[in-house]
Amino acid sequence: MKRSSAIRRAVLATAAVALAVTGCTAQAAGGGGGGGASTAPAPRPTATSGDGKPSSPAPTSAPPTSAPATSSPAPEPSAKVLMKDGDESEQVRELQARLRQLDYFDRAPTGFYGSITAKAVSGFQRKRGLPATGSVDETTWQRLLGMTKKPTADELKPSTTNKLDTPDARCMTGRVLCISKESRTLAWMIDGRVVSSMDVRFGSENTPTREGVFAVGWKAKDWTSTIYHTPMPYAMFFSGGQAVHYSADFAARGYNGASHGCVNVRDRAKIAALFDQVKVGDKVVVHW
């Protein structure tokens, strides 16, 4: 009897050890419930679903089925363009007047955004460390507003009676039609003396009046443009199809318009008198 009891105790002890080992292994693998021995590895956290119920963890050896979502900044929208090449408005006229205050735009405002305006804007942008796009966005416009004053009416639409500037040195000898783009004047000069003067208007940015030293090639008291079919009274041609002549449009609209490259005069009486005095071969100087 003692031998049988000893055998039974040995069998029960072996079974107990086997059950204890199996329980720790299952706990370590994430199965089973109760706590095991203090030397067993800590259980992995159990993931929960959105309603708080436990969900099965992903196998440790399997890669995630999809890349984790990452938050990347959304691309910034392109800066809104306020003014660009080809536009024509009173805001463009203000832009040109403000650029002129800073010496980026070297002529009277026209209200038309052409290549010269775009070049002036690019120069302003480069100097301020802005993208030199040649177009005006909100950043460029606000920077320009902060550096300039509100243009006066005369800056936006310069007065119709212009003061002569200092004659170009090339105008100081002989008989010369001395034409200044800066003051928008024509001075009829003989040996450095001003005989008469008058307001003038020039070509637009797209059809500019050429600058330099020329001579009167021929004259026509009554002439109509063969290209634009508009009257050109008292025309004195000095560079191809460009001439000094009376312009009824200039007389009516002032500097709101522009020529196709000619030098427009709006005082008919003055240019009529000038036409009678100027001779073919007389010098013409167009300058800033």
Side-chain angles (χ1 to χ4, degrees), residues 154 158-163 183 185 199 255 266:
D154 193 57
S159 59
T160 57
T161 302
N162 301 322
K163 181 181 179 181
S183 62
T185 57
D199 296 343
Y255 293 102
R266 61 179 165 191

Side-chain angles (χ1 to χ4, degrees), residues 205-222:
E205 290 184 333
N206 293 330
T207 55
T209 302
R210 289 184 280 274
E211 300 160 21
V213 179
F214 311 92
V216 175
W218 59 289
K219 299 166 55 180
K221 185 175 181 179
D222 296 300

